[in-house]
Amino acid sequence: MGHQCVECVAEGNRNVRQPRTALGARAAGPATPVVTYTLIGICALVYLAELSSVRVVWDYMMVGQGIGRTGQVIGVAEGEWYRLVTSMFLHQRPGGGSFSITHILFNMWALWAIGPALEQVLGRWRFLALYLLSGLGGSVLLYLQAPTEGAVGASGAIFGLFAAYFVIGRRLGGQVGPIVFLLVINLVITFAVPGISWQGHVGGLVTGGVLAAAYAYAPARARQAVHIAAPVAVLVVLAVLVAVKTAELSSSGVLL
């Protein structure tokens, strides 16, 4: 019988072209959607923390500039920039609004339903960047348009996934009718039901759509460069918008 040493096989495999998805991610077959499940797990753990103490919501929800529990001025404009990110892992507590526990249940169902497919075609890092930047885009639009309003939820990130599913589905020639229907229904609810942050939803939708377009339509010869540059560019634009708004609020002293 023939025999090949492990080192020889490894060396030979270096020259073997690894299979890729249509968007450049490594095609690993039906791999476990690690990022999707991790995000769901984080949101679930944070929700348990919220149930144990309402202070979690006050300390980490999205607000540009507002009055905290003890009367102090809080918000992104006061240096608490982390609220732009932490808010996307928070959800309404029971009795905290129109949707209560259904808020987290719907968002996690949506993430579970469409996250694995996007994660497989994009790869883990592209998918994670899409999710986080979409959520950040929603927070930034709220900061720009209504800085004194508070908000929590992964909805901005979820709307970004909706947009990406549509854009990538169109690019790959898939059926996009169901996602269009789901998106339209959610947009109607967004603007029809009081107490919903439309800024978070629309900001996430636009950010996710822009980033997904860069992922989907990057020319093959420059795909890797575009896939790195696009999320970096989106992050820079969002950071600049936050800096400009912070300077505006600081100079005007809205609540002071």
Side-chain angles (χ1 to χ4, degrees):
M1 289 181 65
H3 174 74
Q4 286 184 307
C5 67
V6 175
E7 293 80 3
C8 298
V9 173
E11 182 65 29
N13 285 340
R14 290 179 185 175
N15 298 320
V16 176
R17 190 181 185 89
Q18 296 295 321
R20 299 272 176 174
T21 68
L23 300 187
R26 286 199 177 116
T32 302
V34 174
V35 176
T36 299
Y37 292 164
T38 300
L39 290 170
I40 292 173
I42 292 173
C43 287
L45 289 174
V46 172
Y47 192 69
L48 292 178
E50 290 182 58
L51 294 180
S52 67
S53 173
V54 70
R55 181 175 177 177
V56 174
V57 177
W58 278 97
D59 288 349
Y60 297 102
M61 70 179 183
M62 175 56 205
V63 60
Q65 193 176 59
I67 304 300
R69 293 182 310 119
T70 58
Q72 80 278 25
V73 181
I74 63 173
V76 176
E78 304 306 310
E80 297 172 344
W81 56 268
Y82 54 84
R83 292 177 181 271
L84 293 160
V85 177
T86 55
S87 59
M88 72 179 79
F89 296 100
L90 298 169
H91 289 85
Q92 285 183 359
R93 301 171 75 249
S98 303
F99 293 95
S100 190
I101 194 172
T102 58
H103 188 211
I104 187 172
L105 290 179
F106 173 78
N107 281 341
M108 294 305 98
W109 169 82
L111 179 53
W112 173 82
I114 67 175
L118 285 173
E119 184 175 344
Q120 184 171 31
V121 74
L122 289 173
R124 290 171 180 170
W125 293 110
R126 294 178 185 85
F127 175 73
L128 181 61
L130 172 69
Y131 185 91
L132 294 177
L133 288 173
S134 295
L136 181 60
S139 295
V140 170
L141 184 57
L142 177 63
Y143 187 42
L144 297 177
Q145 205 277 330
T148 59
E149 293 183 10
V152 295
S155 301
I158 298 300
F159 268 75
L161 297 188
F162 287 161
Y165 199 96
F166 172 78
V167 170
I168 294 172
R170 284 290 300 271
R171 175 68 176 85
L172 301 181
Q175 294 291 329
V176 295
I179 198 67
V180 171
F181 176 78
L182 183 61
L183 184 54
V184 169
I185 291 296
N186 277 277
L187 284 174
V188 170
I189 294 174
T190 295
F191 290 99
V193 177
I196 294 180
S197 171
W198 66 263
Q199 298 93 341
H201 293 186
V202 173
L205 182 71
V206 172
T207 304
V210 169
L211 190 52
Y215 286 156
Y217 291 96
R221 63 183 179 279
R223 180 180 290 142
Q224 184 174 4
V226 173
H227 285 188
I228 293 173
V232 171
V234 170
L235 180 60
V236 169
V237 169
L238 294 176
V240 169
L241 291 174
V242 169
V244 170
K245 187 64 178 182
T246 299
E248 176 190 324
L249 292 176
S250 297
S251 62
S252 62
V254 174
L255 297 177
L256 302 179

